[in-house]
Amino acid sequence: MVCAAISLAGGSATATSLSRRPALDLRSRRLLWARAMSHVAPRLSSATVGAPTPEHDQRHSGRARAVAAQAGVRQALISLSDKTDLANLGNGLESLGFSIISTGGTASSLEAAGVNVTKVEQITHFPEMLDGRVKTLHPSIHGGILARRDQEHHLKALNEHGIGTFDVVVVNLYPFYDKVTSGAISFEDGIENIDIGGPTLIRAAAKNHKDVLVVVDHRDYPALLKYLQEKQVDPQFRRMLAWKAFQHVASYDSAVSEWLWKQSNSGDIFPPSFTVPLSMKSTLRYGENPHQKAAFYGDRSLSLVNAGGIATSFQHHGKEMSYNNYLDADAAWNCVSEFENPTCVVVKHTNPCGVASRQDVLEAYRLAVKADPVSAFGGIVAFNTTIDEDLAREIREFRSPTDGETRMFYEIVVAPGYTEKGLEVLKGKSKTLRILEAKRSGKNMLSLRQVNGGWLAQESDDLAPEDITFTTGSERAPTDSELSDAKFAWLCAKHVKSNAIVIAKDNCMLGMGSGQPNRVDSLRIAFRKAGEAAKGAALASDAFFPFAWKDAVEEACENGIGTIAQPGGSMRDKDAVECCNKYGVSLLFTGVRHFRH
């Protein structure tokens, strides 16, 4: 795009007349530009009595830029905090005949790379001021960006005020996100790291993308230079750059907004409105089903920095993750992260079907699989300890408890770390086995869930057994071991889909029932899986029992359960107490419900 000419001394030059001028070679363009700016530069430093007035300088600047524009010199404005590949960009644009306009540190870096630079203050006739708060906020800059080249009255206005146009704007922003997440930062320091001029330049250029190419990502520099070198005319390229620019600013503003909300509303986690900054990490083969397209996005909210979890995990080996893989791995990792002792969790379709804690993690692994080996086959295995060679070999070679022959197959193994040998051994299990390394999931997170037309937001369910009181409601109090079993079953039930029943003993899940419309069916499934081992074990329910006699409570007692833990709150809690007293079962009330839909 040829820069529109402006000549206060020689009358008005239209875009049409400029486009018909013969093109000059690069050397001639540079000489004309140098001559033009040398005409203006002495006036910028003059501070003596009788020095030219700003109006006089403006007229001469208009003439200078008109000379440059008539020479066909295009202008690029570059202002960067992140100066990655800046030298390549500057030299590339200059080799294509662009005159580079720049600010402060960016200008210095370009000059150090051998690029000829005109500083912004030579265009605006205003120095940087207010500690750098005002640099580019000036009509000589924004007029040259926003002017539509197909509108004669826009070009006439530029001509009258001695303003030249910009064809390329390359800007990125103060590192606000990095600054406020790097550690303790004062409110004043945070405020000073909010970029004002940068977003304004980006938005202006993106709005006028038909005439101005706007770039906010150094990874787009090669595509920009190729586009200009090949003299491409591709509206879609310009629109994609504009979209990326507006998205860049939106993400930046969301970080500022989130930070300011936390600074001004201590303890209130539900702002009246907020933006979630998502960034695509990968496209997926498909969604829950092959006919559904899908992608995976990372959440760059400030609250999730160093929060851990599957979204920030590292994949060491195996096939690419699928939509369902992410859901299952997330469920397994969130569950295993709850436990302090060495623990193994096996998940199938987001439900933990096996959980066991032991000082010997190999034993924990075997017991977790044994809880439901049929479901465990093709599931996800998660550990809260580093996987060494011995554990890796056990995972690789372990045979199904159902027949003692079939080698267990898993989709994913996830752990907080691996020894070098452990990782080597585990990779040998299968080419497709996904091996993930994750950081422990954080607490006090905001949980979001989509419904058609809106979102639900809630605090994460972070309560652990030590955070609540298990109150004995029956005549018989539990023994220490029974209370420990009840707490373990209660913590497991927290991660099982409602209606949830978990039977556990000796820090090991024996059976679980999940997702049934009524609690009795979930209870029966759990007992069927636990078998005879359920006798004397603890049973936990995610919600209260609406009925006791000839219902779930009495059926549990008749099956030999030793302790029942439930939230309580039913109008028939007294029936549950009397039923447990009849069978000599210890009944504990937690006062906390753990629905999971």
Side-chain angles (χ1 to χ4, degrees):
M1 185 66 66
V2 178
C3 179
I6 304 166
S7 175
L8 295 179
S12 173
T14 67
T16 303
S17 64
L18 286 176
S19 64
R20 290 173 180 169
R21 294 183 180 274
L24 301 181
D25 60 31
L26 179 57
R27 182 173 180 276
S28 299
R29 290 178 178 180
R30 287 180 176 171
L31 286 172
L32 282 169
W33 179 259
R35 192 184 78 187
M37 293 315 300
S38 66
H39 183 69
V40 177
R43 292 170 172 77
L44 296 178
S45 59
S46 176
T48 59
V49 176
T53 64
E55 291 79 7
H56 183 264
D57 278 343
Q58 186 74 13
R59 289 195 299 272
H60 282 278
S61 174
R63 180 180 301 167
R65 298 185 79 186
V67 170
Q70 290 180 37
V73 177
R74 297 172 293 178
Q75 293 190 115
L77 176 63
I78 307 177
S79 181
L80 303 172
S81 289
D82 178 0
K83 298 175 177 60
T84 302
D85 293 333
L86 172 59
N88 290 336
L89 173 69
N91 283 300
L93 288 172
E94 190 174 52
S95 70
L96 292 170
F98 277 85
S99 172
I100 311 299
I101 315 298
S102 192
T103 58
T106 306
S108 298
S109 295
L110 285 167
E111 288 172 339
V115 179
N116 292 316
V117 179
T118 300
K119 295 185 178 179
V120 164
E121 52 263 38
Q122 293 176 261
I123 303 299
T124 63
H125 307 286
F126 241 95
E128 291 185 12
M129 60 185 299
L130 307 181
D131 299 319
R133 284 189 170 199
V134 178
K135 299 177 184 177
T136 58
L137 297 171
H138 193 281
S140 290
I141 301 300
H142 287 278
I145 295 172
L146 284 165
R148 292 178 57 181
R149 317 304 152 82
D150 59 355
Q151 297 294 315
E152 194 69 28
H153 64 287
H154 281 206
L155 299 180
K156 182 179 179 182
L158 295 186
N159 187 41
E160 289 174 353
H161 295 282
I163 299 173
T165 56
F166 290 95
D167 301 284
V168 174
V169 171
V170 184
V171 177
N172 57 47
L173 307 176
Y174 293 167
F176 178 84
Y177 183 94
D178 294 336
K179 189 73 174 180
V180 299
T181 59
S182 61
I185 180 175
S186 69
F187 181 77
E188 291 73 18
D189 197 11
I191 290 296
E192 289 308 313
N193 275 275
I194 299 175
D195 202 323
I196 300 301
T200 308
L201 288 171
I202 292 170
R203 290 174 62 85
K207 177 174 181 175
N208 200 29
H209 63 270
K210 180 181 177 182
D211 296 313
V212 182
L213 290 159
V214 57
V215 179
V216 296
D217 186 348
H218 66 87
R219 289 168 292 191
D220 291 326
Y221 294 170
L224 170 70
L225 294 173
K226 181 180 179 182
Y227 181 92
L228 294 168
Q229 186 175 24
E230 296 178 358
K231 300 179 180 179
Q232 297 179 26
V233 180
D234 182 2
Q236 281 302 113
F237 179 73
R238 290 177 172 272
R239 289 173 186 172
M240 284 300 296
L241 289 178
W243 165 82
K244 195 168 187 177
F246 277 117
Q247 186 60 45
H248 182 67
V249 174
S251 179
Y252 188 88
D253 287 343
S254 74
V256 174
S257 174
E258 181 183 356
W259 180 77
L260 278 173
W261 172 260
K262 290 182 178 180
Q263 297 295 316
S264 56
N265 291 274
S266 178
D268 188 349
I269 65 171
F270 300 112
S273 64
F274 66 100
T275 302
V276 180
L278 302 180
S279 177
M280 184 188 287
K281 299 188 74 170
S282 64
T283 55
L284 305 177
R285 286 180 298 154
Y286 50 79
E288 280 189 285
N289 303 290
H291 65 275
Q292 295 171 276
K293 294 181 180 180
F296 179 59
Y297 290 82
D299 188 340
R300 285 181 54 81
S301 296
L302 298 179
S303 60
L304 295 182
V305 173
N306 298 321
I310 290 300
T312 58
S313 64
F314 177 79
Q315 184 171 352
H316 286 283
H317 178 74
K319 197 174 181 179
E320 67 272 18
M321 293 282 285
S322 72
Y323 185 97
N324 293 329
N325 287 156
Y326 276 113
L327 292 175
D328 288 336
D330 184 61
W333 186 243
N334 289 340
C335 183
V336 81
S337 293
E338 294 268 23
F339 297 88
E340 296 300 329
N341 293 326
T343 300
C344 174
V345 171
V346 183
V347 160
K348 192 69 166 290
H349 295 303
T350 72
N351 277 303
C353 56
V355 183
S357 296
R358 290 288 187 278
Q359 288 306 312
D360 181 1
V361 72
L362 273 73
E363 183 183 1
Y365 165 64
R366 298 184 194 112
L367 290 171
V369 176
K370 184 181 178 182
D372 188 352
V374 174
S375 297
F377 193 88
I380 286 77
V381 184
F383 298 88
N384 62 356
T385 61
T386 297
I387 294 180
D388 60 14
E389 181 181 359
D390 291 340
L391 179 54
R393 203 169 297 282
E394 186 72 8
I395 296 169
R396 191 178 75 176
E397 302 298 335
F398 191 65
R399 309 292 165 153
S400 172
T402 56
D403 60 14
E405 295 181 3
T406 304
R407 184 178 292 174
M408 292 299 295
F409 162 74
Y410 304 117
E411 291 278 355
I412 302 169
V413 174
V414 55
Y418 302 82
T419 65
E420 183 177 351
K421 192 64 177 178
L423 189 58
E424 178 186 334
V425 170
L426 202 55
K427 287 180 178 179
K429 181 173 176 63
S430 167
K431 291 182 179 180
T432 62
L433 176 66
R434 301 163 183 87
I435 302 175
L436 304 183
E437 182 173 330
K439 294 181 180 179
R440 194 181 187 98
S441 296
K443 296 184 180 296
N444 301 315
M445 299 291 107
L446 185 65
S447 174
L448 297 175
R449 190 167 180 178
Q450 189 175 16
V451 295
N452 196 8
W455 292 82
L456 295 167
Q458 67 173 353
E459 295 176 312
S460 55
D461 185 358
D462 295 329
L463 288 179
E466 56 268 22
D467 300 321
I468 67 172
T469 301
F470 287 75
T471 303
T472 302
S474 57
E475 293 174 352
R476 188 178 79 80
T479 64
D480 289 345
S481 63
E482 286 177 327
L483 179 58
S484 177
D485 290 341
K487 290 180 177 180
F488 184 89
W490 180 87
L491 190 54
C492 291
K494 172 181 172 180
H495 292 271
V496 176
K497 294 293 178 65
S498 301
N499 287 304
I501 297 290
V502 170
I503 299 172
K505 190 173 185 178
D506 297 331
N507 293 323
C508 178
M509 178 190 286
L510 302 176
M512 55 78 82
S514 65
Q516 300 304 305
N518 70 76
R519 202 159 297 279
V520 175
D521 284 345
S522 288
L523 180 135
R524 290 170 179 168
I525 293 171
F527 271 108
R528 187 174 73 243
K529 292 182 177 182
E532 288 299 311
K535 295 188 183 301
L539 179 149
S541 173
D542 65 337
F544 65 65
F545 294 101
F547 300 98
W549 301 108
K550 296 182 179 180
D551 205 274
V553 176
E554 186 168 28
E555 195 165 320
C557 293
E558 290 174 340
N559 277 281
I561 210 73
T563 302
I564 295 176
Q566 60 137 324
S570 168
M571 61 186 297
R572 297 183 180 84
D573 278 349
K574 184 179 178 182
D575 290 348
V577 171
E578 291 176 352
C579 182
C580 287
N581 287 339
K582 175 184 175 181
Y583 289 91
V585 172
S586 175
L587 178 63
L588 299 171
F589 291 109
T590 66
V592 176
R593 190 182 73 182
H594 270 318
F595 269 165
R596 180 174 290 267
H597 287 81

